[in-house]
Amino acid sequence: MKKYQKALAAIGTLVTAGLAGMHYANRIIAKKACEKELLFNQEGNYYSFRFGNIFYTKQGSGQPLLLIHELNPACSHIEFKAIIEELSTQYTVYTMDLLGCGRSDKPAITYTAYLYVQMVNDFIKNVIGEPTHIIVSGMASSPVLLACSIEPDLYDKIICINPPSLQAGNKIPTPALRMLKTLIEVPVLGTFIYNLHVNQKAIERKLEKEIFYHPPTGQMSSYLLRQKKKCAAFLYESSHLNGYGSKYLYSSLRARYLNVNTFQALTNIDHSIYVIMGKEEPDARERTREYRECNCSIETALIPRTKHVPHLENPSRFLNLCQIFFN
């Protein structure tokens, strides 16, 4: 009996020490990731949404244009830094950090597409106050299209950059993914797991393999190398800003709670929609075909030698397409 008690005590000591070590590591990672305060170089305001405060910026004059970044805890309004200044010469440009991202609040909730539908519609009604053009990136396209189908009077023209495949919206949470979500949201241990997966090297690998286009021969241009280096720093800070809050959006994404079927919404929308894809994005042609088949009025374009962020890789070409579409 004494041996059993000693073994339990030893195991308890090891577990306690392990959790203490994880907690210490989590604090160090959070501090080092945010010490440069890169996301605080631009002044902005906060909109009080029902689930938390939303950071946003406003500049320029003219018809309102809202820029909405990729739906990922590492992303923020900084994604549009290369095109904001030029756009603000013709439009009143708004950017926002989605809930769970950047400088916005990161509440411990389950994030769904319909949460962002409410957030975007409320922001347009209460902050912008009139119909607005939209440029939206990646997975954030789905809730924006749903939001437009629900309250069409709030929207004018919409540009979707590399929106997800319509088939991807049919993938729903599984029991295994729900368990993973629960594990990531556990205090200390879950935060440690999040930090293992969302670290500087992991972000750099993702940029290398999935985000930026790399020519088969030769070197990337000096401009793209600088953009990639800046992106890695901004993404890392955003993914750890406000402590461990980013892990809740991350866990919801991993468990597919953000997936949503937008087929019906697209068929009902009468607005002008432009799908712009990086030509080197996987299945770029298939995805543009999907959207055109769903709604024959949707226009599409492929930007050569770009991948997931054509507005960063070739901003001049992207801005030219925007000018043609919005005017």
Side-chain angles (χ1 to χ4, degrees), residues 295-327:
N295 186 327
C296 61
S297 66
I298 292 177
E299 300 176 63
T300 62
L302 299 174
I303 300 182
R305 298 176 66 83
T306 67
K307 204 168 187 180
H308 196 67
V309 285
H311 48 305
L312 279 179
E313 297 174 278
N314 193 341
S316 59
R317 175 61 176 154
F318 181 82
L319 286 166
N320 184 51
L321 292 174
C322 290
Q323 185 174 19
I324 294 170
F325 179 65
F326 286 137
N327 292 334

Side-chain angles (χ1 to χ4, degrees), residues 42-283:
Q42 188 173 9
E43 293 184 358
N45 299 292
Y46 285 91
Y47 164 62
S48 181
F49 179 53
R50 68 192 74 177
F51 294 104
N53 293 321
I54 306 300
F55 176 79
Y56 72 94
T57 68
K58 176 184 177 182
Q59 60 189 85
S61 59
Q63 187 172 357
L65 169 61
L66 175 59
L67 309 182
I68 303 175
H69 62 79
E70 171 68 279
L71 187 48
N72 186 293
C75 295
S76 69
H77 69 283
I78 298 296
E79 178 181 332
F80 296 103
K81 192 173 183 181
I83 62 173
I84 291 175
E85 185 175 350
E86 181 66 26
L87 288 171
S88 65
T89 62
Q90 300 181 62
Y91 305 97
T92 302
V93 179
Y94 294 84
T95 70
M96 62 159 67
D97 286 349
L98 296 171
L99 196 72
C101 304
R103 292 171 63 177
S104 292
D105 285 349
K106 302 177 179 182
I109 59 175
T110 294
Y111 292 79
T112 67
Y114 291 99
L115 170 71
Y116 292 107
V117 168
Q118 296 173 46
M119 194 197 80
V120 174
N121 280 347
D122 285 1
F123 183 84
I124 295 174
K125 282 187 285 190
N126 298 321
V127 177
I128 299 177
E130 59 180 300
T132 181
H133 292 317
I134 303 286
I135 298 178
V136 57
S137 178
M139 277 194 68
S141 301
S142 297
V144 166
L145 292 171
L146 282 175
C148 178
S149 71
I150 293 169
E151 298 201 51
D153 292 344
L154 298 178
Y155 295 83
D156 202 330
K157 296 182 177 181
I158 301 173
I159 291 179
C160 298
I161 306 169
N162 287 329
S165 165
L166 296 178
Q167 299 300 320
N170 296 325
K171 297 179 180 179
I172 62 174
T174 64
L177 290 175
R178 291 192 186 98
M179 287 179 64
L180 175 62
K181 179 179 181 292
T182 300
L183 180 61
I184 294 171
E185 293 175 356
V186 169
V188 183
L189 175 60
T191 305
F192 188 72
I193 293 171
Y194 172 77
N195 288 333
L196 286 176
H197 285 85
V198 186
N199 57 63
Q200 186 83 43
K201 289 186 178 180
I203 288 172
E204 290 173 357
R205 284 196 301 271
K206 189 174 180 69
L207 289 174
E208 182 85 17
K209 294 181 179 181
E210 301 177 28
I211 306 301
F212 283 90
Y213 167 64
H214 289 263
T217 58
Q219 300 289 325
M220 291 181 73
S221 69
S222 58
Y223 166 78
L224 285 179
L225 285 171
R226 289 195 303 272
Q227 289 297 321
K228 192 169 78 167
K229 186 176 180 181
K230 288 179 182 177
C231 274
F234 282 119
L235 293 171
Y236 187 53
E237 180 174 309
S238 178
S239 64
H240 290 86
L241 196 63
N242 297 337
Y244 55 82
S246 299
K247 72 176 184 178
Y248 296 100
L249 173 55
Y250 176 79
S251 67
S252 295
L253 281 166
R254 288 292 302 270
R256 299 179 182 167
Y257 280 85
L258 276 300
N259 287 1
V260 64
N261 189 317
T262 56
F263 183 86
Q264 192 62 45
L266 274 173
T267 58
N268 294 334
I269 290 175
D270 291 328
H271 297 64
S272 296
I273 299 173
Y274 200 7
V275 173
I276 299 178
M277 302 283 297
K279 190 175 181 180
E280 308 304 327
E281 180 80 354
D283 305 322

Side-chain angles (χ1 to χ4, degrees), residues 5-19:
Q5 290 175 338
K6 286 181 179 180
L8 285 178
I11 292 171
T13 301
L14 287 173
V15 170
T16 302
L19 289 173

